[in-house]
Coordinates of all heavy atoms in Angstrom, one line a residue:
S924 N 236.8 147.1 105.3 CA 235.9 146.2 104.6 C 234.5 146.4 105.0 O 234.2 146.8 106.2 CB 236.4 144.7 104.7 OG 235.8 144.2 105.7
D925 N 233.6 146.0 104.2 CA 232.1 146.1 104.5 C 231.7 144.8 105.2 O 232.4 143.8 105.2 CB 231.3 146.5 103.3 CG 231.4 145.4 102.3 OD1 232.5 145.2 101.8 OD2 230.4 144.8 102.0
K926 N 230.5 144.8 105.8 CA 230.0 143.7 106.5 C 229.6 142.5 105.6 O 229.7 141.4 106.0 CB 228.8 144.1 107.3 CG 229.1 145.1 108.4 CD 227.8 145.4 109.1 CE 228.1 146.5 110.2 NZ 226.9 147.0 110.9
T927 N 229.2 142.8 104.3 CA 228.7 141.7 103.6 C 229.7 141.1 102.5 O 229.5 140.1 102.0 CB 227.5 142.1 102.7 OG1 227.9 143.2 101.8 CG2 226.3 142.7 103.6
G928 N 230.7 141.9 102.2 CA 231.7 141.5 101.2 C 231.3 141.9 99.9 O 232.0 141.7 98.9
T929 N 230.1 142.5 99.7 CA 229.6 142.9 98.4 C 230.5 143.9 97.8 O 230.8 143.9 96.6 CB 228.2 143.4 98.5 OG1 227.4 142.4 99.1 CG2 227.5 143.7 97.1
L930 N 230.9 144.9 98.5 CA 231.7 146.0 97.9 C 233.1 145.5 97.6 O 233.7 145.9 96.6 CB 231.8 147.2 98.9 CG 230.5 147.9 99.2 CD1 230.8 149.0 100.3 CD2 229.9 148.5 98.0
T931 N 233.7 144.6 98.4 CA 235.1 144.2 98.1 C 235.2 143.1 97.1 O 236.1 143.0 96.3 CB 235.7 143.7 99.5 OG1 234.9 142.7 100.1 CG2 235.9 144.9 100.4
T932 N 234.2 142.1 97.1 CA 234.3 141.0 96.2 C 233.2 140.9 95.2 O 233.1 140.0 94.3 CB 234.3 139.7 97.0 OG1 233.2 139.6 97.7 CG2 235.5 139.7 98.0
N933 N 232.2 141.8 95.4 CA 231.0 141.8 94.6 C 230.3 140.4 94.6 O 229.7 139.9 93.6 CB 231.3 142.1 93.1 CG 230.1 142.6 92.4 OD1 229.2 143.1 92.9 ND2 230.1 142.5 91.0
N934 N 230.3 139.7 95.8 CA 229.6 138.5 96.0 C 228.6 138.7 97.1 O 228.8 139.5 98.0 CB 230.6 137.4 96.5 CG 231.4 136.9 95.3 OD1 231.0 136.9 94.2 ND2 232.6 136.5 95.7
M935 N 227.5 137.9 97.0 CA 226.5 137.9 98.1 C 225.9 136.6 98.1 O 225.7 136.0 97.0 CB 225.5 139.1 97.8 CG 224.5 139.2 99.0 SD 223.5 140.6 98.7 CE 224.5 141.9 99.3
S936 N 225.5 136.1 99.3 CA 224.8 134.8 99.4 C 223.7 135.0 100.5 O 223.9 135.7 101.4 CB 225.7 133.7 99.7 OG 226.4 133.9 100.8
V937 N 222.6 134.2 100.4 CA 221.6 134.1 101.4 C 222.1 133.2 102.6 O 222.5 132.0 102.3 CB 220.3 133.6 100.7 CG1 219.2 133.4 101.8 CG2 219.8 134.5 99.6
L938 N 222.0 133.7 103.7 CA 222.4 132.9 104.9 C 221.2 132.4 105.7 O 221.3 131.4 106.4 CB 223.3 133.7 105.8 CG 224.7 134.2 105.2 CD1 225.5 135.0 106.2 CD2 225.5 133.0 104.7
K939 N 220.1 133.2 105.6 CA 219.0 132.9 106.4 C 217.7 133.5 105.7 O 217.8 134.5 105.0 CB 219.1 133.6 107.8 CG 218.2 133.2 108.9 CD 218.5 133.9 110.2 CE 219.8 133.3 110.8 NZ 219.7 132.2 111.6
F940 N 216.6 132.8 105.8 CA 215.4 133.3 105.3 C 214.2 132.9 106.2 O 214.3 131.8 107.0 CB 215.1 132.9 103.9 CG 214.8 131.5 103.6 CD1 213.6 131.0 103.5 CD2 215.9 130.6 103.3 CE1 213.3 129.6 103.3 CE2 215.6 129.3 103.0 CZ 214.3 128.8 103.0
F941 N 213.1 133.6 106.1 CA 211.9 133.3 106.9 C 210.7 133.2 106.0 O 210.7 133.9 105.0 CB 211.7 134.5 107.9 CG 212.8 134.7 108.8 CD1 213.9 135.5 108.4 CD2 212.8 134.2 110.1 CE1 215.0 135.8 109.3 CE2 213.9 134.4 111.0 CZ 214.9 135.2 110.6
V942 N 209.8 132.4 106.3 CA 208.4 132.4 105.7 C 207.3 132.4 106.8 O 207.6 131.9 107.9 CB 208.3 131.2 104.7 CG1 209.2 131.3 103.5 CG2 208.4 129.9 105.4
V943 N 206.2 132.8 106.4 CA 205.1 132.8 107.4 C 204.6 131.3 107.5 O 204.3 130.7 106.5 CB 203.9 133.8 107.0 CG1 202.7 133.6 107.9 CG2 204.4 135.1 107.0
D944 N 204.5 130.8 108.7 CA 204.0 129.6 109.0 C 202.4 129.6 109.0 O 201.7 128.8 108.3 CB 204.6 129.0 110.3 CG 204.2 127.5 110.5 OD1 203.9 126.8 109.5 OD2 204.4 127.1 111.6
N945 N 201.9 130.5 109.8 CA 200.5 130.7 109.9 C 200.3 132.1 110.4 O 201.1 132.6 111.1 CB 199.8 129.6 110.7 CG 200.2 129.5 112.1 OD1 200.2 130.6 112.8 ND2 200.6 128.4 112.5
A946 N 199.1 132.7 110.1 CA 198.8 134.0 110.5 C 197.3 134.1 110.9 O 196.5 133.4 110.3 CB 199.1 135.0 109.4
A947 N 197.1 134.7 112.0 CA 195.7 134.9 112.5 C 195.6 136.3 113.1 O 196.5 136.7 114.0 CB 195.4 133.9 113.5
K948 N 194.7 137.1 112.6 CA 194.5 138.4 113.1 C 195.8 139.2 113.0 O 196.3 139.4 111.9 CB 193.8 138.5 114.5 CG 192.5 137.9 114.5 CD 191.8 138.1 115.8 CE 190.5 137.5 115.8 NZ 189.8 137.7 117.1
D949 N 196.3 139.7 114.1 CA 197.5 140.5 114.1 C 198.7 139.8 114.5 O 199.8 140.4 114.8 CB 197.3 141.8 115.0 CG 197.1 141.4 116.4 OD1 196.8 140.3 116.7 OD2 197.2 142.3 117.3
K950 N 198.7 138.4 114.5 CA 199.9 137.6 114.9 C 200.2 136.7 113.8 O 199.4 136.2 113.1 CB 199.6 136.9 116.2 CG 199.3 137.7 117.4 CD 199.1 136.9 118.6 CE 198.9 137.9 119.8 NZ 198.7 137.2 121.0
A951 N 201.6 136.5 113.6 CA 202.0 135.6 112.6 C 203.1 134.7 113.2 O 204.0 135.2 113.9 CB 202.5 136.3 111.4
A952 N 203.1 133.4 112.9 CA 204.2 132.6 113.3 C 205.2 132.3 112.1 O 204.7 132.2 110.9 CB 203.7 131.2 113.7
L953 N 206.4 132.5 112.3 CA 207.4 132.3 111.2 C 208.2 131.1 111.3 O 208.4 130.5 112.4 CB 208.5 133.6 111.2 CG 207.8 135.0 111.1 CD1 208.9 135.9 111.3 CD2 207.1 135.1 109.8
Q954 N 208.6 130.5 110.2 CA 209.5 129.5 110.0 C 210.9 130.1 109.6 O 210.9 130.9 108.7 CB 209.1 128.5 108.9 CG 207.9 127.8 109.2 CD 207.5 126.8 108.1 OE1 208.4 126.1 107.6 NE2 206.3 126.7 107.7
E955 N 211.9 129.8 110.4 CA 213.3 130.3 110.1 C 214.2 129.2 109.5 O 214.2 128.1 110.1 CB 213.9 130.9 111.4 CG 215.2 131.4 111.3 CD 215.8 131.9 112.6 OE1 215.0 132.2 113.5 OE2 217.0 132.0 112.7
F956 N 214.9 129.5 108.5 CA 215.7 128.6 107.8 C 217.2 129.1 107.7 O 217.3 130.3 107.5 CB 215.2 128.3 106.4 CG 213.9 127.6 106.3 CD1 212.7 128.4 106.3 CD2 213.7 126.2 106.4 CE1 211.5 127.8 106.3 CE2 212.5 125.6 106.4 CZ 211.4 126.4 106.3
D957 N 218.1 128.3 107.8 CA 219.5 128.6 107.6 C 220.0 128.0 106.3 O 219.6 127.0 106.0 CB 220.4 128.2 108.7 CG 220.0 128.9 110.1 OD1 220.2 130.1 110.1 OD2 219.7 128.2 111.0
V958 N 221.0 128.8 105.6 CA 221.5 128.3 104.3 C 223.0 128.2 104.4 O 223.6 129.1 104.8 CB 221.0 129.2 103.3 CG1 221.4 128.7 101.9 CG2 219.5 129.4 103.3
T959 N 223.5 127.1 103.9 CA 225.0 127.0 103.8 C 225.3 127.4 102.3 O 224.5 127.4 101.4 CB 225.4 125.6 104.1 OG1 225.0 124.7 103.1 CG2 225.1 125.2 105.5
G960 N 226.6 127.6 102.1 CA 227.1 128.0 100.8 C 227.4 129.5 100.8 O 226.7 130.3 101.4
S961 N 228.5 129.8 100.2 CA 228.9 131.2 100.2 C 229.4 131.7 98.8 O 230.1 132.7 98.7 CB 230.0 131.5 101.2 OG 231.1 130.6 100.9
T962 N 229.1 131.0 97.8 CA 229.5 131.4 96.4 C 228.3 131.3 95.6 O 227.2 131.1 96.0 CB 230.6 130.5 95.8 OG1 230.0 129.1 95.6 CG2 231.7 130.3 96.8
F963 N 228.5 131.6 94.3 CA 227.3 131.5 93.3 C 227.1 130.1 92.8 O 226.1 129.9 92.1 CB 227.6 132.5 92.2 CG 227.6 133.9 92.5 CD1 228.7 134.7 92.3 CD2 226.4 134.4 93.2 CE1 228.7 136.0 92.6 CE2 226.5 135.8 93.6 CZ 227.5 136.6 93.3
A964 N 227.8 129.2 93.3 CA 227.6 127.7 93.0 C 226.3 127.3 93.6 O 226.0 127.6 94.8 CB 228.7 126.9 93.4
P965 N 225.4 126.7 92.8 CA 224.1 126.3 93.3 C 224.2 125.0 94.2 O 223.6 124.0 93.9 CB 223.2 126.0 92.1 CG 224.2 125.7 91.0 CD 225.5 126.4 91.4
V966 N 225.0 125.1 95.2 CA 225.2 124.0 96.1 C 225.0 124.5 97.5 O 225.4 125.7 97.8 CB 226.5 123.2 95.9 CG1 226.6 122.6 94.6 CG2 227.7 124.2 96.1
G967 N 224.6 123.6 98.4 CA 224.5 124.1 99.8 C 223.4 123.3 100.4 O 222.7 122.4 99.8
E968 N 223.0 123.6 101.7 CA 222.0 122.9 102.4 C 221.2 124.0 103.2 O 221.7 125.0 103.6 CB 222.6 122.0 103.4 CG 221.7 121.1 104.1 CD 222.4 120.1 105.1 OE1 223.4 120.4 105.6 OE2 221.8 119.1 105.3
V969 N 219.9 123.7 103.2 CA 218.9 124.5 103.9 C 218.5 123.6 105.1 O 218.2 122.5 105.1 CB 217.6 124.8 103.1 CG1 216.6 125.6 103.9 CG2 218.0 125.5 101.8
T970 N 218.7 124.3 106.3 CA 218.4 123.6 107.6 C 217.4 124.4 108.3 O 217.2 125.7 108.2 CB 219.7 123.4 108.4 OG1 220.2 124.6 108.7 CG2 220.7 122.5 107.7
R971 N 216.8 123.7 109.3 CA 215.8 124.4 110.2 C 216.1 123.7 111.6 O 216.0 122.5 111.7 CB 214.4 124.1 109.8 CG 213.4 124.9 110.7 CD 212.0 125.0 110.0 NE 211.2 125.8 110.9 CZ 210.0 125.4 111.3 NH1 209.5 124.3 110.8 NH2 209.3 126.2 112.1
N972 N 216.4 124.5 112.5 CA 216.7 124.0 113.9 C 217.9 123.0 113.9 O 217.9 122.0 114.6 CB 215.5 123.3 114.5 CG 214.4 124.3 114.7 OD1 214.5 125.5 115.0 ND2 213.1 123.8 114.5
G973 N 218.8 123.3 113.0 CA 220.1 122.5 112.9 C 219.9 121.2 112.1 O 220.8 120.4 112.1
R974 N 218.8 120.9 111.6 CA 218.5 119.7 110.8 C 218.1 120.0 109.4 O 217.5 121.1 109.1 CB 217.4 118.9 111.5 CG 217.7 118.4 112.9 CD 216.7 117.4 113.4 NE 217.2 116.9 114.7 CZ 216.5 117.0 115.7 NH1 215.4 117.7 115.8 NH2 216.9 116.4 116.9
P975 N 218.4 119.1 108.5 CA 218.0 119.3 107.0 C 216.5 119.6 107.0 O 215.6 119.0 107.7 CB 218.3 118.0 106.3 CG 219.4 117.4 107.2 CD 219.1 117.8 108.6
A976 N 216.2 120.7 106.3 CA 214.8 121.1 106.2 C 214.0 120.4 105.2 O 214.6 120.1 104.1 CB 214.7 122.7 105.9
R977 N 212.7 120.2 105.5 CA 211.8 119.6 104.4 C 211.2 120.7 103.7 O 210.4 121.5 104.2 CB 210.8 118.7 105.2 CG 211.2 117.5 105.7 CD 210.1 116.8 106.3 NE 210.3 115.3 106.5 CZ 209.6 114.5 107.0 NH1 208.4 114.8 107.5 NH2 209.9 113.3 107.1
L978 N 211.7 120.8 102.4 CA 211.2 122.0 101.6 C 210.1 121.6 100.7 O 209.2 122.4 100.4 CB 212.4 122.6 100.9 CG 213.6 123.1 101.8 CD1 214.7 123.6 100.9 CD2 213.1 124.2 102.8
K979 N 210.2 120.3 100.2 CA 209.2 119.9 99.2 C 207.8 119.8 100.0 O 207.7 119.2 101.0 CB 209.6 118.5 98.6 CG 208.7 118.1 97.5 CD 209.4 116.9 96.8 CE 208.8 116.7 95.5 NZ 209.5 115.8 94.6
G980 N 206.9 120.4 99.3 CA 205.5 120.5 99.9 C 205.2 121.6 100.8 O 204.2 121.8 101.3
N981 N 206.3 122.4 101.1 CA 206.1 123.7 102.0 C 205.8 124.7 101.0 O 206.5 125.3 100.3 CB 207.4 124.0 102.7 CG 207.2 125.1 103.6 OD1 206.5 126.1 103.3 ND2 207.9 125.0 104.8
S982 N 204.4 125.0 100.9 CA 203.9 125.9 99.9 C 204.5 127.3 100.1 O 204.8 128.0 99.1 CB 202.4 126.1 100.0 OG 201.9 126.5 101.2
A983 N 204.8 127.8 101.3 CA 205.4 129.1 101.5 C 206.8 129.2 100.9 O 207.2 130.1 100.3 CB 205.4 129.5 103.0
V984 N 207.6 128.1 101.1 CA 209.0 128.0 100.6 C 208.9 127.9 99.0 O 209.7 128.6 98.4 CB 209.8 126.9 101.2 CG1 211.1 126.7 100.6 CG2 210.0 127.2 102.7
E985 N 208.0 127.2 98.6 CA 207.9 127.0 97.1 C 207.5 128.4 96.5 O 208.1 128.8 95.4 CB 206.9 125.9 96.8 CG 207.5 124.5 97.1 CD 206.4 123.4 96.9 OE1 205.2 123.7 96.5 OE2 206.8 122.3 97.1
E986 N 206.6 129.1 97.1 CA 206.3 130.4 96.6 C 207.4 131.3 96.7 O 207.6 132.1 95.7 CB 205.1 131.0 97.4 CG 204.5 132.2 96.8 CD 203.3 132.7 97.4 OE1 202.5 131.9 98.0 OE2 202.9 133.8 97.2
L987 N 208.2 131.3 97.7 CA 209.4 132.2 97.8 C 210.3 131.9 96.7 O 210.9 132.8 96.1 CB 210.1 131.9 99.2 CG 211.4 132.7 99.3 CD1 211.1 134.2 99.4 CD2 212.1 132.3 100.7
A988 N 210.6 130.6 96.4 CA 211.5 130.2 95.3 C 211.0 130.7 94.0 O 211.7 131.2 93.1 CB 211.6 128.7 95.3
T989 N 209.7 130.6 93.8 CA 209.1 131.1 92.5 C 209.3 132.6 92.4 O 209.7 133.1 91.4 CB 207.6 130.8 92.5 OG1 207.4 129.4 92.6 CG2 206.9 131.4 91.3
I990 N 209.1 133.3 93.5 CA 209.3 134.8 93.5 C 210.8 135.1 93.2 O 211.0 136.0 92.4 CB 208.8 135.5 94.8 CG1 207.3 135.3 94.9 CG2 209.3 136.9 95.0 CD1 206.7 135.6 96.3
C991 N 211.6 134.4 93.9 CA 213.1 134.7 93.7 C 213.5 134.4 92.2 O 214.4 135.1 91.7 CB 213.9 133.8 94.6 SG 213.9 134.2 96.4
S992 N 212.8 133.5 91.6 CA 213.3 133.2 90.2 C 212.6 134.1 89.2 O 213.3 134.5 88.2 CB 212.8 131.7 89.9 OG 213.4 130.8 90.7
L993 N 211.3 134.4 89.3 CA 210.6 135.1 88.3 C 210.7 136.6 88.4 O 210.8 137.3 87.4 CB 209.1 134.8 88.3 CG 208.8 133.4 88.0 CD1 207.3 133.1 88.2 CD2 209.3 133.0 86.7
C994 N 211.0 137.2 89.7 CA 211.1 138.6 89.8 C 212.6 138.9 89.9 O 213.1 139.5 90.9 CB 210.4 139.0 91.1 SG 208.7 138.7 91.1
N995 N 213.3 138.6 88.8 CA 214.7 138.6 88.9 C 215.3 138.7 87.5 O 214.8 138.1 86.5 CB 215.2 137.3 89.5 CG 216.6 137.4 90.0 OD1 217.5 138.0 89.4 ND2 216.8 137.0 91.3
E996 N 216.3 139.6 87.3 CA 216.9 139.7 86.0 C 218.3 139.2 85.9 O 219.1 139.4 85.0 CB 216.9 141.2 85.6 CG 215.5 141.8 85.4 CD 215.5 143.2 85.0 OE1 216.5 143.8 84.7 OE2 214.3 143.7 84.9
S997 N 218.7 138.5 87.0 CA 220.1 138.0 87.1 C 220.1 136.4 86.8 O 219.0 135.8 86.8 CB 220.7 138.2 88.4 OG 220.9 139.6 88.7
S998 N 221.3 135.9 86.6 CA 221.4 134.5 86.4 C 222.8 134.0 86.8 O 223.6 134.8 87.1 CB 221.1 134.1 84.9 OG 222.1 134.7 84.1
V999 N 223.0 132.7 86.8 CA 224.3 132.2 87.1 C 224.8 131.4 86.0 O 224.1 130.7 85.3 CB 224.1 131.2 88.3 CG1 225.4 130.5 88.7 CG2 223.6 131.9 89.6
D1000 N 226.1 131.6 85.7 CA 226.7 130.9 84.6 C 227.9 130.2 85.1 O 228.7 130.6 85.9 CB 227.2 132.0 83.6 CG 227.8 131.4 82.3 OD1 227.1 130.5 81.7 OD2 228.9 131.8 81.9
Y1001 N 228.1 128.9 84.5 CA 229.2 128.1 84.9 C 230.3 128.3 83.9 O 230.1 128.2 82.7 CB 228.9 126.6 84.9 CG 230.1 125.8 85.2 CD1 230.7 125.7 86.5 CD2 230.7 125.0 84.2 CE1 231.8 125.0 86.7 CE2 231.8 124.2 84.5 CZ 232.3 124.2 85.8 OH 233.4 123.4 86.0
N1002 N 231.5 128.8 84.3 CA 232.6 129.0 83.5 C 233.6 127.8 83.4 O 234.2 127.6 84.5 CB 233.4 130.3 83.9 CG 234.5 130.7 83.0 OD1 235.1 129.9 82.4 ND2 234.7 132.0 82.9
E1003 N 233.6 127.1 82.4 CA 234.4 125.9 82.4 C 235.9 126.1 82.5 O 236.6 125.4 83.2 CB 234.2 125.1 81.1 CG 232.8 124.5 81.1 CD 232.6 123.6 79.8 OE1 233.6 123.1 79.3 OE2 231.4 123.4 79.5
S1004 N 236.4 127.3 81.9 CA 237.8 127.5 82.0 C 238.3 127.8 83.4 O 239.5 127.6 83.7 CB 238.2 128.7 81.0 OG 237.6 129.8 81.5
T1005 N 237.5 128.5 84.2 CA 237.9 128.7 85.6 C 237.3 127.7 86.6 O 237.6 127.8 87.8 CB 237.5 130.1 86.0 OG1 236.0 130.2 85.9 CG2 238.1 131.2 85.1
D1006 N 236.4 126.9 86.1 CA 235.7 125.9 87.0 C 235.0 126.6 88.1 O 235.0 126.1 89.3 CB 236.7 124.9 87.6 CG 236.0 123.7 88.2 OD1 234.9 123.3 87.7 OD2 236.6 123.2 89.2
K1007 N 234.3 127.7 87.8 CA 233.6 128.5 88.8 C 232.3 129.0 88.3 O 232.2 129.2 87.0 CB 234.4 129.7 89.2 CG 235.6 129.5 90.1 CD 236.3 130.7 90.5 CE 237.6 130.3 91.3 NZ 238.2 131.5 91.9
Y1008 N 231.3 129.2 89.1 CA 230.1 129.8 88.8 C 230.2 131.3 88.9 O 230.8 131.8 89.9 CB 228.9 129.3 89.8 CG 228.6 127.8 89.5 CD1 229.2 126.8 90.0 CD2 227.5 127.6 88.6 CE1 228.8 125.5 89.8 CE2 227.2 126.3 88.3 CZ 227.9 125.2 88.9 OH 227.5 123.9 88.7
T1009 N 229.7 132.0 88.0 CA 229.8 133.5 88.1 C 228.4 134.1 87.9 O 227.5 133.5 87.4 CB 230.7 134.0 86.9 OG1 230.2 133.6 85.6 CG2 232.2 133.5 87.0
K1010 N 228.3 135.3 88.4 CA 227.0 135.9 88.3 C 226.8 136.8 87.0 O 227.8 137.2 86.5 CB 226.8 136.9 89.5 CG 227.7 138.1 89.5 CD 227.4 139.0 90.6 CE 228.2 140.2 90.6 NZ 228.0 141.0 89.4
I1011 N 225.6 136.8 86.6 CA 225.3 137.7 85.4 C 224.2 138.6 86.0 O 223.1 138.2 86.3 CB 224.8 136.9 84.2 CG1 225.9 136.0 83.7 CG2 224.3 137.9 83.1 CD1 225.4 135.1 82.6
G1012 N 224.5 139.9 86.3 CA 223.5 140.8 86.9 C 224.0 141.2 88.3 O 225.2 141.1 88.7
E1013 N 223.1 141.7 89.0 CA 223.3 142.2 90.4 C 223.6 141.1 91.4 O 223.0 140.0 91.3 CB 222.1 143.0 90.8 CG 221.8 144.3 90.0 CD 222.9 145.3 90.1 OE1 223.5 145.5 91.1 OE2 223.2 145.9 89.0
A1014 N 224.5 141.3 92.3 CA 224.9 140.3 93.3 C 223.7 139.9 94.2 O 223.5 138.7 94.4 CB 226.0 140.8 94.2
T1015 N 222.8 140.8 94.6 CA 221.7 140.6 95.4 C 220.7 139.6 94.7 O 220.3 138.6 95.2 CB 221.0 141.8 95.9 OG1 221.9 142.7 96.5 CG2 219.8 141.5 96.8
E1016 N 220.4 140.0 93.4 CA 219.4 139.2 92.7 C 220.0 137.8 92.4 O 219.3 136.8 92.4 CB 219.1 139.9 91.4 CG 218.1 141.1 91.6 CD 217.6 141.6 90.4 OE1 217.9 141.1 89.3 OE2 216.8 142.6 90.5
T1017 N 221.3 137.8 92.1 CA 221.9 136.4 91.8 C 221.9 135.5 93.1 O 221.7 134.4 93.0 CB 223.4 136.6 91.3 OG1 223.4 137.5 90.3 CG2 224.0 135.3 90.9
A1018 N 222.1 136.1 94.3 CA 222.0 135.4 95.5 C 220.7 134.7 95.7 O 220.5 133.5 96.1 CB 222.4 136.2 96.7
L1019 N 219.6 135.4 95.2 CA 218.2 134.9 95.3 C 218.1 133.8 94.3 O 217.3 132.8 94.5 CB 217.2 136.0 95.1 CG 217.2 137.1 96.2 CD1 216.3 138.2 95.9 CD2 216.9 136.5 97.6
V1020 N 218.6 133.9 93.1 CA 218.6 132.9 92.1 C 219.2 131.6 92.6 O 218.7 130.5 92.5 CB 219.2 133.3 90.8 CG1 219.5 132.1 89.8 CG2 218.4 134.3 90.1
V1021 N 220.4 131.7 93.3 CA 221.1 130.6 93.8 C 220.3 129.9 94.9 O 220.2 128.7 95.0 CB 222.5 130.9 94.3 CG1 223.2 129.8 95.1 CG2 223.4 131.4 93.2
L1022 N 219.7 130.7 95.8 CA 218.7 130.1 96.8 C 217.6 129.4 96.2 O 217.3 128.2 96.7 CB 218.2 131.3 97.6 CG 217.1 130.9 98.7 CD1 217.7 130.0 99.7 CD2 216.4 132.0 99.3
A1023 N 217.0 129.9 95.1 CA 215.9 129.2 94.5 C 216.3 127.8 93.9 O 215.6 126.8 93.8 CB 215.2 130.0 93.4
E1024 N 217.6 127.7 93.4 CA 218.1 126.5 92.8 C 218.4 125.4 93.8 O 218.2 124.3 93.6 CB 219.4 126.9 92.0 CG 219.2 127.8 90.9 CD 219.7 127.4 89.6 OE1 220.3 126.3 89.5 OE2 219.6 128.1 88.7

């Protein structure tokens, strides 16, 4: 089996992301976030240092969400007959759509 599960199940999810907190000259401080959820369902929690992250008003996170949504050709569809969310498009791009949601 592969490390991500993409080859075996064609699923992918975002587990962690980083944004620049501030930058000066040749140094940058990063904010690191962890993400729960392992399916295409748009549910989960974003945490920072083990606590729920404050995302609203964080311009770097908002810009990342915009990029994940607009620079993307995939989407998520809810299938009522199977009661599951499914991907339309590439697994990597769909994982970014779910993160933005």
Side-chain angles (χ1 to χ4, degrees):
S924 92
D925 63 296
K926 294 179 185 176
T927 63
T929 306
L930 294 176
T931 54
T932 64
N933 203 23
N934 287 330
M935 187 174 278
S936 58
V937 175
L938 300 176
K939 191 175 290 271
F940 68 91
F941 302 83
V942 295
V943 175
D944 189 20
N945 59 53
K948 295 187 181 183
D949 63 343
K950 295 183 181 181
L953 300 176
Q954 294 181 42
E955 178 181 340
F956 297 89
D957 295 300
V958 183
T959 64
S961 60
T962 68
F963 293 122
V966 296
E968 185 177 33
V969 177
T970 60
R971 185 163 184 231
N972 299 322
R974 296 191 172 116
R977 289 183 159 175
L978 302 176
K979 194 170 192 163
N981 184 322
S982 60
V984 172
E985 290 174 358
E986 187 169 343
L987 176 65
T989 300
I990 292 167
C991 288
S992 298
L993 296 179
C994 299
N995 200 312
E996 295 182 4
S997 295
S998 61
V999 178
D1000 184 48
Y1001 177 69
N1002 185 325
E1003 289 184 28
S1004 64
T1005 62
D1006 192 32
K1007 291 185 180 181
Y1008 287 87
T1009 57
K1010 69 174 183 63
I1011 299 173
E1013 297 294 323
T1015 303
E1016 289 190 357
T1017 307
L1019 296 175
V1020 167
V1021 172
L1022 174 64
E1024 296 228 2

